[in-house]
Amino acid sequence: MPVRERLRAHGARSWYIGAGSGLIWQVILVFDVLILDGPVVSKVLGLLLLAVLYAAFMLLGPILWVESVRTRLIAVAAYWAASFLLFPLIGPVAIWMWLLVVSLVAFINLPLRLAIGFSVLVILVQGAIGASVGFTLGLAFAPMVTAVGAATFIGLGLISRTNVTLRGANEEIARLAVVEERARFSRDLHDVLGHSLTVVTMKSELARRLVTIDPEKAELEIADIERLTRSALADLRLAVSNYRETTVDAELVAAKTALAAAGIQSHLPESVPAIDPRQQGVFAWVLREGVTNVIRHSGATACWVTIDHRSLTVADDGRGPGAMLTDAPVTGNGLRGLRERSAAAAAELLVGQSRQGGFELVVRGAA
């Protein structure tokens, strides 16, 4: 929400309270009008015009906050011009009303230079009118009081706008935190369940084919499916509690099982070298997502995983980058999530064609 709209939303009540308090000082002007020498009609008309100007002052603040700078400037200039109608009715004592003009200027969110310039103009005209009548009726104090009031009001206006801006920034930070947390959870949910459900699907298909030709092996596959679903459920619970750790060693074991279930020959390292702890997690997630994509989208017969202390590569001999990126685009949840994880771990994620002609997924940590 723009600053002006937040000002209107959060500051209207404060404006009415502050403006109403400011009008209390105008009792002095009303009293001056009542004791002036002159026709009763002029006094009555003067008091009525003052009432209209006071009401306009109360209403204009919140209304003008959401308008353009030009509209606000024209409106406050028109308000000031309207106050000149008081002079034929109550005389030069009307310059005391201009304390409200500078107050309005300060609180309608004008740019600082315009607010100061307009206030200085009002004070200069006020001083000129007071001097022209010899500063009688206590008019010598009017420019000084108005100057002090203008400085105070402009300062308070800046503080108010700053507070509203900070409040808006805090609200935006909170909103972005919620968005980020939702994105993180959806990414984790995809990473946790995507791999497990892929393996379960492959094993279910295998068990269905075996149930009539090799019931004992089919029973083993079904038992393995039960184990996998229990493991996926445990992973899901851990993801929800934000207390799940993934390691490369564990993912290598899972990859071997998944590739075997899919009928894809696996070439996996026997051991895992020392990996920077900051990048252990992203290496494990790349391994999981890479193997899942090989099973789902590549049409490969073999998969190769290579790992060293600063990089991990998942490659296959399938249909290659063109087909893989069509089926599993980089902007999808899987690879997009891996890019986000890699960036957060100061690592780089690369996709391309493998030496075997298939798809290759590489994560490379900082040197």
Side-chain angles (χ1 to χ4, degrees), residues 160-361:
S160 177
R161 288 195 291 275
T162 300
N163 289 339
V164 170
T165 302
L166 288 175
R167 187 185 297 114
N170 289 335
E171 291 173 355
E172 182 66 10
I173 289 171
R175 187 189 69 81
L176 291 176
V178 171
V179 171
E180 176 61 24
E181 181 61 19
R182 287 175 178 171
R184 183 200 66 78
F185 184 75
S186 64
R187 181 184 64 208
D188 286 358
L189 196 62
H190 172 274
D191 293 344
V192 168
L193 294 184
H195 176 80
S196 300
L197 293 179
T198 296
V199 177
V200 167
T201 300
M202 295 295 179
K203 284 187 168 290
S204 298
E205 293 174 352
L206 179 59
R208 180 173 53 81
R209 292 195 299 267
L210 291 173
V211 71
T212 55
I213 60 177
D214 193 344
E216 291 184 2
K217 191 172 182 179
E219 186 176 351
L220 291 175
E221 292 296 333
I222 292 172
D224 208 17
I225 290 171
E226 182 181 1
R227 179 187 63 78
L228 285 171
T229 54
R230 291 182 184 277
S231 176
L233 181 59
D235 281 347
L236 180 60
R237 287 170 176 166
L238 289 173
V240 171
S241 64
N242 197 25
Y243 189 72
R244 187 190 69 256
E245 293 185 1
T246 305
T247 65
V248 174
D249 297 273
E251 289 305 321
L252 279 174
V253 174
K256 185 174 183 179
T257 301
L259 291 168
I264 299 175
Q265 185 179 5
S266 61
H267 301 274
L268 308 177
E270 295 295 331
S271 61
V272 178
I275 300 173
D276 189 331
R278 296 174 302 174
Q279 295 164 349
Q280 173 78 227
V282 72
F283 276 31
W285 283 117
V286 169
L287 176 56
R288 171 179 283 204
E289 185 65 27
V291 170
T292 300
N293 283 341
V294 169
I295 295 171
R296 284 182 176 176
H297 309 293
S298 71
T301 59
C303 173
W304 290 264
V305 176
T306 57
I307 307 173
D308 60 40
H309 71 282
R310 63 180 296 266
S311 69
L312 180 145
T313 302
V314 180
D316 63 65
D317 61 352
R319 292 177 291 172
M324 282 286 285
L325 295 180
T326 299
D327 291 344
V330 177
T331 55
N333 286 332
L335 293 180
R336 181 177 60 193
L338 292 182
R339 290 189 186 280
E340 293 173 356
R341 290 180 187 275
S342 299
E348 181 182 20
L349 188 74
L350 304 171
V351 295
Q353 187 170 18
S354 69
R355 288 181 295 178
Q356 296 79 17
F359 185 74
E360 183 176 80
L361 182 65

Side-chain angles (χ1 to χ4, degrees), residues 54-237:
Y54 293 158
F57 171 73
M58 290 289 293
L59 297 174
L60 277 176
I63 292 174
L64 293 180
W65 282 335
V66 295
E67 301 298 331
S68 66
V69 172
R70 181 181 178 183
T71 300
R72 280 175 277 157
L73 193 59
I74 292 173
V76 75
Y79 182 79
W80 185 31
S83 70
F84 280 86
L85 297 174
L86 289 168
F87 286 91
L89 300 172
I90 64 176
V93 74
I95 64 173
W96 281 102
M97 223 283 296
W98 293 353
L99 188 61
L100 299 185
V101 176
V102 297
S103 176
L104 191 60
V105 167
F107 286 104
I108 60 172
N109 198 31
L110 282 175
L112 184 59
R113 290 182 179 179
L114 281 178
I116 293 175
F118 200 105
S119 297
V120 169
L121 178 61
V122 170
I123 294 166
L124 290 175
V125 175
Q126 197 178 44
I129 293 175
S132 68
V133 296
F135 289 113
T136 57
L137 301 174
L139 299 184
F141 297 102
M144 290 185 289
V145 173
T146 303
V148 172
T152 303
F153 298 147
I154 290 173
L156 291 174
L158 288 174
I159 293 173
S160 177
R161 288 195 291 275
T162 300
N163 289 339
V164 170
T165 302
L166 288 175
R167 187 185 297 114
N170 289 335
E171 291 173 355
E172 182 66 10
I173 289 171
R175 187 189 69 81
L176 291 176
V178 171
V179 171
E180 176 61 24
E181 181 61 19
R182 287 175 178 171
R184 183 200 66 78
F185 184 75
S186 64
R187 181 184 64 208
D188 286 358
L189 196 62
H190 172 274
D191 293 344
V192 168
L193 294 184
H195 176 80
S196 300
L197 293 179
T198 296
V199 177
V200 167
T201 300
M202 295 295 179
K203 284 187 168 290
S204 298
E205 293 174 352
L206 179 59
R208 180 173 53 81
R209 292 195 299 267
L210 291 173
V211 71
T212 55
I213 60 177
D214 193 344
E216 291 184 2
K217 191 172 182 179
E219 186 176 351
L220 291 175
E221 292 296 333
I222 292 172
D224 208 17
I225 290 171
E226 182 181 1
R227 179 187 63 78
L228 285 171
T229 54
R230 291 182 184 277
S231 176
L233 181 59
D235 281 347
L236 180 60
R237 287 170 176 166

Side-chain angles (χ1 to χ4, degrees), residues 41-64:
V41 175
S42 296
K43 293 181 180 181
V44 172
L45 292 176
L47 292 174
L48 288 175
L49 183 55
L50 280 174
V52 171
L53 290 172
Y54 293 158
F57 171 73
M58 290 289 293
L59 297 174
L60 277 176
I63 292 174
L64 293 180

